[in-house]
Amino acid sequence: MWVSTKAQYGLRALIEIGRRGGSGAAVPLKDVAERQGLSHHYLEQIASNLRRAGFIKSVRGAHGGYRLARPAADISAYEVVTALEGSIAPVSCVEEDHVCDKGQVCGTIDLWQRVDAALRGVLGSTSLADLIADSERQEHARLVQLEPAYAEARP
């Protein structure tokens, strides 16, 4: 099972846009790329896909950039990953439109169906709002860890 950088970066970009654009402000893609340490050029391609899929909308002008097109709670990780990746089935025989002629002798179909269901379940039950909250908790934890070292360094 391999999730491409396109899907990984797409989710990271949406988290960043959701966090920074929470007040309705547009977030410049350049800022997202810098903050996340991503290639701006590659992120532009991904943003184009995210816009076409209806996750973000562009805002033109001096304070332009991107903002979420829907509430973060209404966007699932599953939607984003499949919009950027296509199928996420672990093997072709569990794809929705696949007909397997080896089903009688395979012996692994049940395993792959369980893996597929687990992956869809985790991604489908995780909203962008969940990921944003996780990101904010992680950042807060990093800041709290810095406080004791800062306090010790002060005279």
Side-chain angles (χ1 to χ4, degrees), residues 47-90:
S48 177
N49 291 337
L50 293 171
R51 187 183 50 73
R52 277 195 302 276
F55 299 118
I56 57 176
K57 56 185 173 185
S58 60
V59 178
R60 297 189 183 276
H63 301 287
Y66 289 92
R67 67 171 57 124
L68 295 179
R70 302 183 346 222
D74 294 344
I75 299 172
S76 74
Y78 177 79
E79 288 180 279
V80 177
V81 172
T82 56
L84 295 173
E85 292 277 330
S87 172
I88 61 165

Side-chain angles (χ1 to χ4, degrees), residues 19-49:
R19 284 187 69 187
R20 299 208 29 232
S23 62
V27 180
L29 206 54
K30 177 179 165 258
D31 293 356
V32 174
E34 286 176 8
R35 181 149 162 86
Q36 290 293 319
L38 304 174
S39 159
H40 184 257
H41 178 70
Y42 189 33
L43 197 53
E44 284 177 332
Q45 295 171 18
I46 294 168
S48 177
N49 291 337

